[in-house]
Amino acid sequence: MLQPASAVLNPNLIDTGTPPIPQAQGWARAYDGRSGPLVDLSQAVPGSPPPAELLERLAQAARSPDSTRYGPITGDMPLREAYAADIATIYGAAFKPAEVAITSGCNQAFVMTMMALAKAGENVLLPVPWYFNHEMTLRMLGIEARPLPCDPTAGFVPDVATAEALIDSGTRAIVLVTPNNPTGAIYPPAAIAAFAELCARRGLWLVLDETYRDFLPAGVAAPHEVFATTSWQDSVIGLYSFSKAYAVPGWRLGAITAGEAVMAEIAKVLDCVQISPVRAGQAAVTWGIEGIRPWREANRIEINARAALFREAMAPHNGWRVLAAGAYFAYVAHPFADVPAAEVVRALVQERGVLALPGPYFGPGQEQHLRIAIANVAADRIGELSDRLRGFSV
């Protein structure tokens, strides 16, 4: 009897690593509670729920029959208009609603954008350490994620000359994430401007993932001036997530900002993947842009305070070095030479009940590092870290 042939899966998908956070959370399940409750600093999750008024707006919208129907491919116009007005204030530049698309989270915004910009066999520059979902997406699409090394002594801010040396005929885009995931580094406006100039000059796209834009330190006038001072529509695309600033990651809402010509191409991808974003959440966030602005500002202040508290908690432990900290994240060098970061993380969670993520999840050359999601827990739990680390060894 003939045996049926095995069906073949996409080799690019098979070659892509599995999502790393569930693996790390699996290590935490072996923790027996000996040091107290688990301090989970693995995934970037808002540490508090959104305001009750925002939840009530969601409930109202969900009760409307209109929320059950398909909406526009690029999102409902009220949210696109409100978001365009909001970023106009942030960047000091006018935006058209036609330059905004609403997506099912910023991860989806990245996937849709990459599908529009590059094809299999081409390459995109990603600063290392990189956000692992960005690398996974490119690998699935058959696009090379070309590492752009970032020097820890320079605060993990990528260097434009180093990037230009990596560009070849197959390069289609450079991705910057600021404030950065995983390092927490905040890229200076001058660095972002230099990358925008490079991309415009070399005919590439600059993709700015600003998921954590709302958590910049006090006194920062604007994240950058690229939208205000350049003809950005031909070479810059902005990505954003409502998840963190509005504390609604389960609503899956993000945004793409792009020139109308490229947005028309991105819309083709959106139509095939999501048809339209979830409508009830859009209605609630439309109100929330202004309705919870004071709450969002207070949350920004609180998150920035946690970064300072984290540095204080780590200060007594000289072997552990905080290389960068900002917005939701800190990037730390552990003190155990020649010990794989995964072993450090596994021992730390199983013996001391502190869960972080190993540096190699974020690209090559990261064995000495751990990523800490400092926004996940309240300030008093961050203070526990110092006690938990005292005397720890692998």
Side-chain angles (χ1 to χ4, degrees):
M1 178 183 294
L2 291 175
Q3 296 296 319
S6 298
V8 177
L9 296 174
N10 178 355
N12 291 332
L13 179 62
I14 294 171
D15 195 37
T16 300
T18 56
I21 289 178
Q23 180 186 45
Q25 291 173 337
W27 298 334
R29 285 193 286 273
Y31 174 56
D32 60 10
R34 71 184 75 172
S35 297
L38 177 71
V39 180
D40 187 350
L41 304 174
S42 62
Q43 188 173 23
V45 179
S48 57
E53 297 90 341
L54 188 63
L55 295 174
E56 180 55 34
R57 293 280 173 163
L58 177 69
Q60 292 174 11
R63 287 193 290 267
S64 169
D66 285 343
S67 293
T68 67
R69 303 184 180 105
Y70 287 130
I73 293 170
T74 53
D76 288 350
M77 184 57 71
L79 180 52
R80 292 162 61 201
E81 290 175 338
Y83 182 71
D86 189 39
I87 59 175
T89 300
I90 293 170
Y91 295 109
F95 294 88
K96 304 173 185 176
E99 295 171 333
V100 171
I102 305 303
T103 61
S104 296
C106 194
N107 266 11
Q108 190 196 66
F110 182 82
V111 176
M112 302 300 93
T113 298
M114 289 300 113
M115 290 180 70
L117 301 188
K119 66 179 185 291
E122 296 177 333
N123 69 78
V124 170
L125 271 58
L126 291 186
V128 176
W130 56 40
Y131 174 43
F132 48 75
N133 280 153
H134 286 173
E135 188 275 338
M136 291 171 66
T137 292
L138 295 175
R139 187 179 293 270
M140 289 177 192
L141 295 174
I143 300 166
E144 177 193 352
R146 183 161 294 180
L148 170 57
C150 295
D151 187 349
T153 64
F156 291 105
V157 175
D159 175 67
V160 72
T162 302
E164 185 157 20
L166 293 170
I167 295 169
D168 61 21
S169 60
T171 306
R172 293 293 171 262
I174 301 174
V175 177
L176 299 183
V177 182
T178 178
N180 187 259
N181 178 4
T183 66
I186 297 169
Y187 298 171
I192 299 171
F195 273 93
E197 187 280 329
L198 169 64
C199 288
R201 175 165 49 85
R202 297 296 298 267
L204 307 177
W205 289 97
L206 176 62
V207 179
L208 287 172
D209 183 335
E210 297 187 272
T211 292
Y212 300 94
R213 176 183 66 210
D214 304 87
F215 302 99
L216 289 168
V220 176
H224 55 80
E225 297 181 347
V226 168
F227 290 127
T229 62
T230 71
S231 300
W232 63 270
Q233 290 90 342
D234 297 325
S235 58
V236 179
I237 296 175
L239 308 181
Y240 178 71
S241 171
F242 295 97
S243 295
K244 306 306 190 295
Y246 295 77
V248 292
W251 293 8
R252 308 312 305 134
L253 288 173
I256 301 172
T257 304
E260 292 184 69
V262 68
M263 189 65 81
E265 302 306 313
I266 291 172
K268 296 177 185 176
V269 188
L270 290 170
D271 185 43
C272 291
V273 175
Q274 74 170 11
I275 300 179
S276 63
V278 176
R279 305 193 73 192
Q282 289 186 77
V285 167
T286 300
W287 172 83
I289 286 175
E290 292 300 330
I292 66 167
R293 189 176 294 278
W295 182 91
R296 290 193 287 130
E297 173 60 14
N299 192 37
R300 181 191 65 78
I301 294 170
E302 167 64 19
I303 296 302
N304 277 287
R306 290 181 195 178
L309 286 169
F310 178 77
R311 288 186 180 275
E312 291 176 15
M314 298 300 290
H317 305 281
N318 295 329
W320 294 80
R321 292 182 293 126
V322 180
L323 303 177
Y328 259 57
F329 302 106
Y331 210 60
V332 175
H334 69 76
F336 308 106
D338 302 322
V339 178
E343 290 187 23
V344 176
V345 169
R346 187 183 297 110
L348 186 60
V349 68
Q350 293 180 358
E351 296 177 17
R352 300 299 175 93
V354 176
L355 179 62
L357 291 183
Y361 285 178
F362 304 97
Q366 305 303 308
E367 237 5 305
Q368 200 64 34
H369 301 143
L370 307 183
R371 190 198 76 173
I372 310 291
I374 54 179
N376 289 23
V377 295
D380 59 338
R381 303 300 303 284
I382 292 176
E384 291 181 29
L385 281 175
S386 189
D387 291 337
R388 301 273 184 115
L389 287 177
R390 190 171 292 113
F392 172 76
S393 183
V394 179

